[in-house]
Amino acid sequence: KIAPDYYISYQYVGLLFMKKGDMLKASKAFSKAISLNPSNAELYCSLGTCFVTLEQKSNAVSAFEKAAHLSPLEGYKTLLKKAKNEMK
């Protein structure tokens, strides 16, 4: 059973669903993790990756924008740029 207020549990569940290829369930787990820890850029990046696979480009861009805003890591900005280019 997952501890309801422990975001990392939901993050791990999301990663397991990603590994299985179930991006819809993964996105739900990452969304729950974000609701518990909204300042974690890695969670937004994982959510954005799910949205890219689900072909929800605008949602992907939003998630990557949030990740890039929260973290100075260049990789998040690169993912954001790539997602924006795919929307064109």
Side-chain angles (χ1 to χ4, degrees):
K1 185 172 180 177
I2 297 175
D5 293 330
Y6 195 50
Y7 83 91
I8 202 160
S9 298
Y10 291 98
Q11 182 179 18
Y12 287 143
V13 168
L15 292 170
L16 288 171
F17 280 126
M18 281 181 87
K19 187 173 176 104
K20 288 180 143 188
D22 192 336
M23 296 302 181
L24 184 59
K25 286 183 181 177
S27 68
K28 290 178 182 182
F30 291 128
S31 293
K32 178 63 177 175
I34 288 168
S35 74
L36 298 172
N37 186 359
S39 61
N40 186 311
E42 186 178 347
L43 295 173
Y44 286 98
C45 183
S46 296
L47 182 61
T49 301
C50 290
F51 287 144
V52 166
T53 304
L54 293 168
E55 298 184 1
Q56 297 179 16
K57 306 297 186 202
S58 62
N59 288 337
V61 167
S62 295
F64 291 138
E65 281 176 339
K66 188 68 175 177
H69 174 75
L70 291 170
S71 174
L73 293 177
E74 201 59 37
Y76 296 133
K77 293 175 186 164
T78 301
L79 287 170
L80 172 59
K81 184 177 179 182
K82 184 177 177 184
K84 283 183 174 180
N85 285 338
E86 288 182 10
M87 288 185 65
K88 294 178 180 179

